[in-house]
Amino acid sequence: MKDFIMGAGANAVATLLSSILFVFAIGLALLGRLEAVPSAYVAAAILVIIAIVLPRCLIIASQWERMIVLRLGKLQGIRGPGPFFIIPFADTIATSIDQRIQTATFNAERTLTKDTVPVNVDAIIFWQVHDTERAALEIADYKEAIGQVAQTSLREMIGATELSGLLSERKKADELLREQIGSKTAEWGVSVISVEIRDVAIPSGLQDAMSRRAQAEREKDARIILGSSEKQIAQTFVDAAEIYAKIPGAMQLRAMNLVYEATKERGMTIVVPSTMADSMNPGGLAGLVAASGTGVA
């Protein structure tokens, strides 16, 4: 406790004031010796006592610090930020609470998921003390307790979640952890701001099996899509055949269109069987060929 008080109280302001008082005390002592003034010695002695006690009385807390002051073992108050005084030997500073947002890492090694898969999970928690008095008086070491609660909650969450959910729904797992940890730390005056799972590691053998499974799933999906496309194409052909069977003119137009498409390139010669030519109406076909500038034999 002495080291803590000296560390907190030995600030630059108190040290400077103490040094100034020592200089005045020396000056008064010299004055008393030269002028033979006994009261100067008394004033010098008082200044020396004040200079010695001042660093233990004047405490300066940083903007983010709150200091728990006990007087004869009982809570006197919470001081800070800025300078404040305490009574030496009667008042003690039990602890200093940092009210900034802080982080802590925690992990769960070789923990079984709901579907009995061993995983190693690393996570980070962001927390902040919102009730200084409770954090200082109701628990011995709230920082250590936060780490233990976070690790226990992480193991419980992993045991209740399947591997696929842990990998694909990480945001949901983060929120669940934040609620579980926050409900426990709230009793100590600590708020959990967020929890983030950084990494989920699974055994290498299982990684290979999952990779093969994913590849097989992709191949299955590709085959299903290909079969569905073939089915749609076949159905389209069936519908077209029915139309051609019912409407002979449609078949003739289709045949003429095929000939036209084939004769787009200049200098081509197409041999058309006589029966096919008759079915396509040779008069119309001859006109089509003449328009395209090709010959039909």
Side-chain angles (χ1 to χ4, degrees):
M1 183 60 67
K2 178 180 178 181
D3 294 338
F4 176 81
I5 294 178
M6 291 302 295
N11 53 75
V13 176
T15 302
L16 178 62
L17 293 176
S18 180
S19 300
I20 294 174
L21 291 177
F22 269 118
V23 171
F24 274 108
I26 294 173
L28 289 175
L30 292 176
L31 179 63
R33 182 177 180 180
L34 295 175
E35 301 294 334
V37 181
S39 59
Y41 289 104
V42 176
I46 294 174
L47 290 179
V48 169
I49 294 173
I50 295 175
I52 294 174
V53 174
L54 184 62
R56 295 178 176 272
C57 296
L58 178 60
I59 310 297
I60 296 180
S62 300
Q63 179 66 34
W64 58 84
E65 288 182 320
R66 300 295 184 271
M67 296 189 178
I68 308 300
V69 179
L70 302 180
R71 178 167 296 172
L72 300 178
K74 297 181 64 176
L75 178 64
Q76 173 62 25
I78 301 174
R79 302 290 184 265
F84 62 94
F85 289 92
I86 61 174
I87 301 175
F89 309 108
D91 293 346
T92 57
I93 298 178
T95 185
S96 174
I97 304 294
D98 192 332
Q99 288 200 315
R100 293 175 293 184
I101 297 176
Q102 302 187 56
T103 62
T105 57
F106 59 101
N107 59 71
E109 297 182 354
R110 298 191 62 82
T111 305
L112 294 178
T113 61
K114 187 176 181 180
D115 47 354
T116 65
V117 177
V119 294
N120 298 333
V121 180
D122 293 329
I124 185 171
I125 181 174
F126 296 82
W127 56 272
Q128 185 179 32
V129 176
H130 68 268
D131 191 330
T132 306
E133 181 177 341
R134 296 173 67 181
L137 303 180
E138 295 190 8
I139 188 168
D141 188 346
Y142 62 91
K143 293 183 179 180
E144 178 67 20
I146 290 172
Q148 296 295 332
V149 167
Q151 189 176 48
T152 302
S153 299
L154 177 59
R155 290 181 178 274
E156 292 176 352
M157 187 274 295
I158 294 174
T161 307
E162 294 185 354
L163 178 61
S164 58
L166 189 61
L167 294 175
S168 61
E169 299 180 357
R170 189 169 296 185
K171 292 295 183 181
K172 183 178 179 180
D174 292 344
E175 183 63 22
L176 180 62
L177 278 175
R178 187 191 68 81
E179 293 177 357
Q180 290 181 350
I181 300 173
S183 63
K184 299 174 183 177
T185 60
E187 300 177 0
W188 314 329
V190 178
S191 299
V192 176
I193 299 174
S194 67
V195 179
E196 298 179 3
I197 296 177
R198 299 189 298 180
D199 184 39
V200 179
I202 59 179
S204 57
L206 183 59
Q207 290 181 9
D208 295 338
M210 293 178 64
S211 177
R212 291 194 299 270
R213 178 180 178 181
Q215 184 177 0
E217 290 289 340
R218 288 193 295 269
E219 291 179 357
K220 182 187 72 173
D221 294 340
R223 290 175 181 271
I224 292 174
I225 294 173
L226 179 60
S228 178
S229 300
E230 292 288 347
K231 181 180 178 181
Q232 292 178 4
I233 294 172
Q235 184 62 46
T236 302
F237 284 158
V238 170
D239 295 340
E242 291 179 354
I243 294 174
Y244 292 149
K246 294 178 181 179
I247 308 175
M251 184 63 184
Q252 293 179 359
L253 291 174
R254 178 59 179 163
M256 295 173 64
N257 184 68
L258 290 174
V259 172
Y260 173 76
E261 293 292 334
T263 57
K264 283 183 177 180
E265 296 295 334
R266 295 293 180 178
M268 291 183 61
T269 301
I270 298 177
V271 178
V272 180
S274 60
T275 56
M276 182 177 178
D278 292 339
S279 65
M280 291 189 300
N281 190 352
L285 179 61
L288 178 62
V289 172
S292 62
T294 60
V296 179

